[in-house]
Amino acid sequence: MSDKKKKRGSTAEEARLLTILDSMVEAVYVTDAKGRVTLTNSALDDLMPKDVVGRRAKNVIKNDELKRAIRRARKKGVAGQVELEATIDGKDHAFHAQISPLPDGEGVVTVLHDVTQLRATDRIRRDFVANASHELRTPLTAIRGFAETLRDGALNDRPTAERFLQAILRHALRLQRLAEDLTTLAQAESLKQNFEPVQTDLRAVCRDSAGSLEGAAHAKGMTLRFQLPEEKVVVDVSPRALDHALTNLIGNAIKYSPEKTTVTIRLREDRDNAVLEVEDQGPGIPAHLRQRIFERFYRIDGGRSPEQAGTGLGLSIARNMIDRVGGELSLVPRAEPGALFRITLPLDDDDEDEF
Ligand code: ADP
């Protein structure tokens, strides 16, 4: 036990109480009848830069609502709850505070629950639902519009009817792609989804992923070039997750590059890592969008018609998959034209069994 604790908990009962307080994730401070801090726990010590015992509570966390609630608890014995925002060490935090009076007006206990992370997750979820429903609404509105026009007479005009049916089909296919990507994204993010690692020769994954896209490359007169080492590069990884990410990168390289260009698939060992790269000769990605392209639903090609555009989910799924298998996926900044995506996977640690 630290010296500080010995001073704080002079009796066995106090020591017991302090141990309980220190094991809480919530930050706690107790103030006396004059509003001075008399007791804190370690979670509060982690939040506050200085030792606050002896200072006035209103100077500890400067928040008017909290101050009022503490005063009310002290004077009137009324417990309260307050949501507050505070900047601590230059970072914005959101707290849920529970304020309870001690018996006989002795003081007040304030319990601060840091809900910053919870709020951020909530916001991401809300944005995701808003984006997903927007993406679903566009093709649905189009399908409904074409179907209504057909019903109201266009069906009798054969060439127009055929055009509308083709459009309905294109939008339906887009909806299907979206549904599939959303399912894959959910799987990639779900911790329940097991990406069982097995000893995998990365050269085989490169060949298989690219192989499934040979037809697409051929259709645009493009060449898939391999730069793979002579020796096996074996990593303990889920081939399914890696194949999914790699297929997406090679697919994008084909989709976004002009006809008759080359996509290079490269594999090498670099110290403790296996490095996989997909390089194309397309338009590349502007430096300021280097991170944004990994966001869900983000697309650069706003000018494309919605039914031709991708879902904007591919790279976020790929990054999730690579995260799940313990690697990293990034877009490499470069001066030359074309995009260069890199996957880094840690090579097996030979010493691992010793631990
Ligand atoms: P999408 O389904 O739209 O392809 P992605 O998440 O895979 O979604 O990609 C996001 C955006 O990044 C794409 O809309 C595209 O504008 C851009 N992008 C991805 N890969 C490339 C590439 N190899 N070259 C140029 N732009 C790319």
Side-chain angles (χ1 to χ4, degrees), residues 233-258:
V233 179
V234 178
V235 171
D236 206 24
V237 72
S238 154
R240 185 162 68 90
L242 186 57
D243 171 66
H244 197 104
L246 209 50
T247 305
N248 182 269
L249 297 181
I250 302 170
N252 276 352
I254 297 171
K255 188 160 67 166
Y256 296 110
S257 298

mmCIF file of all heavy atoms in Angstrom, residues 233-258:
data_model
loop_
_atom_site.group_PDB
_atom_site.id
_atom_site.type_symbol
_atom_site.label_atom_id
_atom_site.label_comp_id
_atom_site.label_asym_id
_atom_site.label_seq_id
_atom_site.Cartn_x
_atom_site.Cartn_y
_atom_site.Cartn_z
ATOM 1 N N VAL A 233 6.341 -17.187 -48.403
ATOM 2 C CA VAL A 233 6.221 -16.230 -47.294
ATOM 3 C C VAL A 233 5.025 -16.706 -46.472
ATOM 4 O O VAL A 233 3.880 -16.497 -46.844
ATOM 5 C CB VAL A 233 5.994 -14.784 -47.801
ATOM 6 C CG1 VAL A 233 5.860 -13.823 -46.632
ATOM 7 C CG2 VAL A 233 7.120 -14.357 -48.727
ATOM 8 N N VAL A 234 5.341 -17.388 -45.362
ATOM 9 C CA VAL A 234 4.264 -18.025 -44.599
ATOM 10 C C VAL A 234 3.907 -17.183 -43.369
ATOM 11 O O VAL A 234 4.779 -16.775 -42.612
ATOM 12 C CB VAL A 234 4.665 -19.459 -44.177
ATOM 13 C CG1 VAL A 234 3.561 -20.110 -43.351
ATOM 14 C CG2 VAL A 234 4.962 -20.288 -45.409
ATOM 15 N N VAL A 235 2.618 -16.911 -43.233
ATOM 16 C CA VAL A 235 2.138 -16.118 -42.095
ATOM 17 C C VAL A 235 0.933 -16.835 -41.491
ATOM 18 O O VAL A 235 0.172 -17.487 -42.204
ATOM 19 C CB VAL A 235 1.744 -14.691 -42.570
ATOM 20 C CG1 VAL A 235 1.036 -13.927 -41.474
ATOM 21 C CG2 VAL A 235 2.954 -13.922 -43.038
ATOM 22 N N ASP A 236 0.770 -16.704 -40.175
ATOM 23 C CA ASP A 236 -0.383 -17.285 -39.493
ATOM 24 C C ASP A 236 -1.537 -16.294 -39.623
ATOM 25 O O ASP A 236 -1.623 -15.327 -38.883
ATOM 26 C CB ASP A 236 -0.001 -17.473 -38.018
ATOM 27 C CG ASP A 236 -0.803 -18.582 -37.378
ATOM 28 O OD1 ASP A 236 -1.284 -19.466 -38.114
ATOM 29 O OD2 ASP A 236 -0.944 -18.557 -36.141
ATOM 30 N N VAL A 237 -2.392 -16.511 -40.598
ATOM 31 C CA VAL A 237 -3.419 -15.512 -40.891
ATOM 32 C C VAL A 237 -4.650 -16.210 -41.472
ATOM 33 O O VAL A 237 -4.543 -17.324 -42.006
ATOM 34 C CB VAL A 237 -2.850 -14.468 -41.889
ATOM 35 C CG1 VAL A 237 -2.683 -15.041 -43.286
ATOM 36 C CG2 VAL A 237 -3.693 -13.215 -41.956
ATOM 37 N N SER A 238 -5.809 -15.534 -41.381
ATOM 38 C CA SER A 238 -7.007 -16.101 -42.002
ATOM 39 C C SER A 238 -6.946 -15.807 -43.502
ATOM 40 O O SER A 238 -7.018 -14.646 -43.912
ATOM 41 C CB SER A 238 -8.256 -15.456 -41.401
ATOM 42 O OG SER A 238 -9.308 -15.506 -42.333
ATOM 43 N N PRO A 239 -6.811 -16.846 -44.347
ATOM 44 C CA PRO A 239 -6.714 -16.574 -45.788
ATOM 45 C C PRO A 239 -7.996 -15.936 -46.321
ATOM 46 O O PRO A 239 -7.958 -15.142 -47.245
ATOM 47 C CB PRO A 239 -6.491 -17.961 -46.409
ATOM 48 C CG PRO A 239 -6.723 -18.962 -45.346
ATOM 49 C CD PRO A 239 -6.745 -18.280 -44.028
ATOM 50 N N ARG A 240 -9.132 -16.248 -45.682
ATOM 51 C CA ARG A 240 -10.414 -15.699 -46.143
ATOM 52 C C ARG A 240 -10.438 -14.174 -45.976
ATOM 53 O O ARG A 240 -10.821 -13.437 -46.891
ATOM 54 C CB ARG A 240 -11.548 -16.337 -45.317
ATOM 55 C CG ARG A 240 -12.928 -15.956 -45.760
ATOM 56 C CD ARG A 240 -13.935 -16.948 -45.195
ATOM 57 N NE ARG A 240 -14.048 -16.849 -43.747
ATOM 58 C CZ ARG A 240 -14.906 -16.060 -43.123
ATOM 59 N NH1 ARG A 240 -15.713 -15.293 -43.811
ATOM 60 N NH2 ARG A 240 -14.970 -16.038 -41.811
ATOM 61 N N ALA A 241 -10.009 -13.693 -44.774
ATOM 62 C CA ALA A 241 -10.012 -12.246 -44.525
ATOM 63 C C ALA A 241 -9.033 -11.544 -45.466
ATOM 64 O O ALA A 241 -9.338 -10.500 -46.045
ATOM 65 C CB ALA A 241 -9.648 -11.971 -43.072
ATOM 66 N N LEU A 242 -7.854 -12.147 -45.620
ATOM 67 C CA LEU A 242 -6.833 -11.522 -46.465
ATOM 68 C C LEU A 242 -7.276 -11.494 -47.925
ATOM 69 O O LEU A 242 -7.121 -10.481 -48.623
ATOM 70 C CB LEU A 242 -5.524 -12.305 -46.319
ATOM 71 C CG LEU A 242 -4.320 -11.703 -47.016
ATOM 72 C CD1 LEU A 242 -4.067 -10.287 -46.537
ATOM 73 C CD2 LEU A 242 -3.082 -12.550 -46.775
ATOM 74 N N ASP A 243 -7.861 -12.590 -48.366
ATOM 75 C CA ASP A 243 -8.329 -12.666 -49.752
ATOM 76 C C ASP A 243 -9.405 -11.607 -49.996
ATOM 77 O O ASP A 243 -9.422 -10.952 -51.035
ATOM 78 C CB ASP A 243 -8.897 -14.065 -50.032
ATOM 79 C CG ASP A 243 -9.588 -14.136 -51.380
ATOM 80 O OD1 ASP A 243 -8.887 -14.002 -52.395
ATOM 81 O OD2 ASP A 243 -10.828 -14.289 -51.422
ATOM 82 N N HIS A 244 -10.277 -11.425 -49.006
ATOM 83 C CA HIS A 244 -11.344 -10.440 -49.174
ATOM 84 C C HIS A 244 -10.761 -9.045 -49.379
ATOM 85 O O HIS A 244 -11.155 -8.306 -50.288
ATOM 86 C CB HIS A 244 -12.261 -10.451 -47.955
ATOM 87 C CG HIS A 244 -13.565 -9.787 -48.238
ATOM 88 N ND1 HIS A 244 -14.720 -10.476 -48.446
ATOM 89 C CD2 HIS A 244 -13.869 -8.481 -48.421
ATOM 90 C CE1 HIS A 244 -15.684 -9.635 -48.730
ATOM 91 N NE2 HIS A 244 -15.193 -8.410 -48.712
ATOM 92 N N ALA A 245 -9.788 -8.692 -48.529
ATOM 93 C CA ALA A 245 -9.187 -7.354 -48.615
ATOM 94 C C ALA A 245 -8.426 -7.188 -49.935
ATOM 95 O O ALA A 245 -8.568 -6.176 -50.624
ATOM 96 C CB ALA A 245 -8.256 -7.143 -47.427
ATOM 97 N N LEU A 246 -7.647 -8.191 -50.267
ATOM 98 C CA LEU A 246 -6.813 -8.110 -51.474
ATOM 99 C C LEU A 246 -7.679 -8.043 -52.737
ATOM 100 O O LEU A 246 -7.392 -7.272 -53.664
ATOM 101 C CB LEU A 246 -5.913 -9.355 -51.517
ATOM 102 C CG LEU A 246 -4.565 -9.220 -52.199
ATOM 103 C CD1 LEU A 246 -3.796 -8.022 -51.693
ATOM 104 C CD2 LEU A 246 -3.740 -10.492 -51.980
ATOM 105 N N THR A 247 -8.749 -8.836 -52.756
ATOM 106 C CA THR A 247 -9.652 -8.826 -53.905
ATOM 107 C C THR A 247 -10.255 -7.433 -54.078
ATOM 108 O O THR A 247 -10.398 -6.926 -55.187
ATOM 109 C CB THR A 247 -10.783 -9.865 -53.721
ATOM 110 O OG1 THR A 247 -10.169 -11.126 -53.471
ATOM 111 C CG2 THR A 247 -11.673 -9.971 -54.937
ATOM 112 N N ASN A 248 -10.568 -6.802 -52.948
ATOM 113 C CA ASN A 248 -11.131 -5.461 -53.037
ATOM 114 C C ASN A 248 -10.117 -4.466 -53.611
ATOM 115 O O ASN A 248 -10.448 -3.656 -54.481
ATOM 116 C CB ASN A 248 -11.594 -5.013 -51.646
ATOM 117 C CG ASN A 248 -12.234 -3.658 -51.711
ATOM 118 O OD1 ASN A 248 -11.560 -2.647 -51.556
ATOM 119 N ND2 ASN A 248 -13.517 -3.624 -52.016
ATOM 120 N N LEU A 249 -8.864 -4.568 -53.154
ATOM 121 C CA LEU A 249 -7.835 -3.629 -53.629
ATOM 122 C C LEU A 249 -7.563 -3.827 -55.119
ATOM 123 O O LEU A 249 -7.470 -2.862 -55.876
ATOM 124 C CB LEU A 249 -6.538 -3.812 -52.832
ATOM 125 C CG LEU A 249 -6.608 -3.508 -51.339
ATOM 126 C CD1 LEU A 249 -5.244 -3.709 -50.694
ATOM 127 C CD2 LEU A 249 -7.094 -2.081 -51.099
ATOM 128 N N ILE A 250 -7.448 -5.107 -55.523
ATOM 129 C CA ILE A 250 -7.155 -5.374 -56.942
ATOM 130 C C ILE A 250 -8.383 -4.987 -57.797
ATOM 131 O O ILE A 250 -8.249 -4.391 -58.868
ATOM 132 C CB ILE A 250 -6.754 -6.856 -57.163
ATOM 133 C CG1 ILE A 250 -5.539 -7.201 -56.297
ATOM 134 C CG2 ILE A 250 -6.450 -7.122 -58.639
ATOM 135 C CD1 ILE A 250 -5.194 -8.684 -56.240
ATOM 136 N N GLY A 251 -9.576 -5.285 -57.269
ATOM 137 C CA GLY A 251 -10.814 -4.923 -57.970
ATOM 138 C C GLY A 251 -10.908 -3.415 -58.190
ATOM 139 O O GLY A 251 -11.237 -2.947 -59.283
ATOM 140 N N ASN A 252 -10.591 -2.639 -57.148
ATOM 141 C CA ASN A 252 -10.604 -1.173 -57.277
ATOM 142 C C ASN A 252 -9.575 -0.707 -58.304
ATOM 143 O O ASN A 252 -9.842 0.176 -59.111
ATOM 144 C CB ASN A 252 -10.272 -0.516 -55.941
ATOM 145 C CG ASN A 252 -11.498 -0.374 -55.046
ATOM 146 O OD1 ASN A 252 -12.616 -0.625 -55.487
ATOM 147 N ND2 ASN A 252 -11.282 0.010 -53.808
ATOM 148 N N ALA A 253 -8.376 -1.321 -58.237
ATOM 149 C CA ALA A 253 -7.294 -0.923 -59.161
ATOM 150 C C ALA A 253 -7.774 -1.115 -60.605
ATOM 151 O O ALA A 253 -7.527 -0.266 -61.467
ATOM 152 C CB ALA A 253 -6.044 -1.745 -58.884
ATOM 153 N N ILE A 254 -8.490 -2.214 -60.849
ATOM 154 C CA ILE A 254 -8.991 -2.476 -62.211
ATOM 155 C C ILE A 254 -10.114 -1.485 -62.540
ATOM 156 O O ILE A 254 -10.140 -0.871 -63.605
ATOM 157 C CB ILE A 254 -9.498 -3.939 -62.330
ATOM 158 C CG1 ILE A 254 -8.333 -4.914 -62.114
ATOM 159 C CG2 ILE A 254 -10.184 -4.174 -63.676
ATOM 160 C CD1 ILE A 254 -8.740 -6.377 -62.000
ATOM 161 N N LYS A 255 -11.014 -1.313 -61.570
ATOM 162 C CA LYS A 255 -12.202 -0.475 -61.808
ATOM 163 C C LYS A 255 -11.825 0.983 -62.087
ATOM 164 O O LYS A 255 -12.391 1.622 -62.961
ATOM 165 C CB LYS A 255 -13.100 -0.572 -60.567
ATOM 166 C CG LYS A 255 -14.455 0.076 -60.698
ATOM 167 C CD LYS A 255 -15.445 -0.458 -59.657
ATOM 168 C CE LYS A 255 -15.091 -0.078 -58.246
ATOM 169 N NZ LYS A 255 -16.165 -0.296 -57.272
ATOM 170 N N TYR A 256 -10.858 1.513 -61.344
ATOM 171 C CA TYR A 256 -10.587 2.953 -61.431
ATOM 172 C C TYR A 256 -9.454 3.315 -62.388
ATOM 173 O O TYR A 256 -9.142 4.489 -62.550
ATOM 174 C CB TYR A 256 -10.332 3.533 -60.032
ATOM 175 C CG TYR A 256 -11.555 3.423 -59.152
ATOM 176 C CD1 TYR A 256 -11.607 2.552 -58.076
ATOM 177 C CD2 TYR A 256 -12.700 4.159 -59.460
ATOM 178 C CE1 TYR A 256 -12.755 2.424 -57.307
ATOM 179 C CE2 TYR A 256 -13.851 4.039 -58.699
ATOM 180 C CZ TYR A 256 -13.871 3.171 -57.626
ATOM 181 O OH TYR A 256 -15.017 3.045 -56.868
ATOM 182 N N SER A 257 -8.817 2.312 -63.014
ATOM 183 C CA SER A 257 -7.706 2.622 -63.935
ATOM 184 C C SER A 257 -8.187 2.595 -65.383
ATOM 185 O O SER A 257 -9.138 1.885 -65.703
ATOM 186 C CB SER A 257 -6.580 1.599 -63.779
ATOM 187 O OG SER A 257 -6.069 1.650 -62.487
ATOM 188 N N PRO A 258 -7.505 3.349 -66.249
ATOM 189 C CA PRO A 258 -7.887 3.330 -67.663
ATOM 190 C C PRO A 258 -7.573 1.979 -68.301
ATOM 191 O O PRO A 258 -6.771 1.197 -67.757
ATOM 192 C CB PRO A 258 -7.030 4.420 -68.288
ATOM 193 C CG PRO A 258 -6.232 5.032 -67.216
ATOM 194 C CD PRO A 258 -6.383 4.253 -65.970
#
